[in-house]
Structures are given as C-alpha cells and as structure tokens.
Amino acid sequence: MVKIGIVTGSTRDARLNGQVAEYVLQKAQNLNIEGAEFEIVDIKDYDLPIFNEAMPPAMANKQYEGEENQRWSEKIDSLDGYIYITPEYNKAVSPALKNALDYLGSEWSDKAAGIVGYGSTLGVAATLNLRTILSNMNVATVGPFGAFNLFTDFEEMTTFRPAEVHNATIQAVIETTVNWSKGLKSIRG
Ligand SMILES: Cc1cc2nc3c(=O)[nH]c(=O)nc-3n(C[C@H](O)[C@H](O)[C@H](O)COP(=O)(O)O)c2cc1C
C-alpha cells in the first residue's frame, strides 16, 4: 500500500488551489488503483511561520523546535509520494509552498512526486521551479504534469471547469506517481 498526499500550494483566503486539489483527489479515487490511498494535505492547516529554525532541516534528523513543524514533519514522513498542486507566483512556486518545503529534509527523500500547475501562463514556470527544488531533496518528479489555464479552465477566473483535454494527462500524473512511489518504497527500507 502506498499513501499519496495531494499537497496544496497556496494559503490565500481567496485561493483557487482547493478546487484543483479536490479535482485531483476525485480523479485519483475514481481510478480505483489497487494498493494506493490518497488524501489532501493542506499546508494552510499547518500554519507554518516563515522558516526560523536554528538547524538546517537536512541536518535536523526529523527533530524540530516548533510544534507546528514537528506535526508537519510527521505528516510528510507518513506519506510515500506526493502530488503537488501549484499556482505560479512571479514565475515560481508560491512563498507559502516554498516555505513548507524548506521546513523539512529527509522526510521528502527517496519518494516520487507528480506536479499539477495552474496560472495565467499555465503554471509551467512554477512546475519547472518545483522540479528543481524537489530534485535537491532527492524527490523523483514524474514526466507528465498538469497545466491548467486560468483563463480557460476556470470560469471567470473563479470556478474550476477543466477542459476534457486534461483528463489523460492528469490520469498519467496520478498513475505514474503511484507506480514510482511503489518502486521507491523498496529502497527506503
Ligand atoms: C503575486 C502573484 C504573482 C503571480 N504571478 C504569476 C505568474 O508569474 N505566472 C502565472 O501564470 N500566473 C501568475 N499569477 C496568477 C496566479 O497563478 C493566479 O492568481 C492563481 O489563482 C493563484 O493561485 P491561488 O488562487 O491558488 O493562490 C500571479 C498571482 C499572484 C497573486
């Protein structure tokens, strides 16, 4: 069994992120993939302040000063793979997502990740930015990625109504993330 976390990438009160995350969760559950469970992991629920730990997380051995980060660490550590739902802010991931990523070290490592981006330019720059960040944490990002258009996949830039054309790609993101997560589980011991 692999547990896949669908990780939100925005904490704005008016964020569109939750709609995209729910859509990916529904799609994943409808695929009825054997040996895989999915859940939304909302970074907003962890209320992480701007990173201020004394020790770089890569050297912290999963022991942190703050209560919020300890809770965040335990959640991320309990998962076998991730699907990140990322908006694009000035050609990168949001500061909230980068902050949440920076908080942890080996909790992320030797796992697989899929990326679903969105934005006025499809979130492609944010997706590439996220791939670079994740590679530094030994996370294997799968090839297919979601790229939703703020102007055509969201009615009035508010309500998520994804075009049919995305179906096959999102399915590939989910299935490949599950397969790679199963494979990578064997090397974590
Ligand atoms: C500060 C800021 C910068 C943005 N920069 C980009 C950008 O570089 N490229 C892009 O495609 N969209 C950009 N956008 C549009 C966002 O992708 C869009 O507002 C999206 O809804 C944000 O995600 P959220 O609603 O989940 O927070 C930007 C939005 C904000 C608030």
Side-chain angles (χ1 to χ4, degrees), residues 10 12 14-17 87-91 118-123 150:
S10 169
R12 288 195 311 138
R15 65 186 173 170
L16 299 177
N17 201 278
E88 183 167 307
Y89 283 17
N90 290 315
K91 302 297 155 215
Y118 59 96
S120 50
T121 52
L122 314 184
L150 188 60

Side-chain angles (χ1 to χ4, degrees), residues 83-124:
I83 298 177
Y84 293 92
I85 313 299
T86 184
E88 183 167 307
Y89 283 17
N90 290 315
K91 302 297 155 215
V93 296
S94 73
L97 178 56
K98 180 61 162 58
N99 192 49
L101 289 163
D102 284 346
Y103 258 100
L104 307 179
S106 59
E107 293 90 338
W108 302 113
S109 297
D110 297 328
K111 295 178 182 173
I115 302 174
V116 174
Y118 59 96
S120 50
T121 52
L122 314 184
V124 175

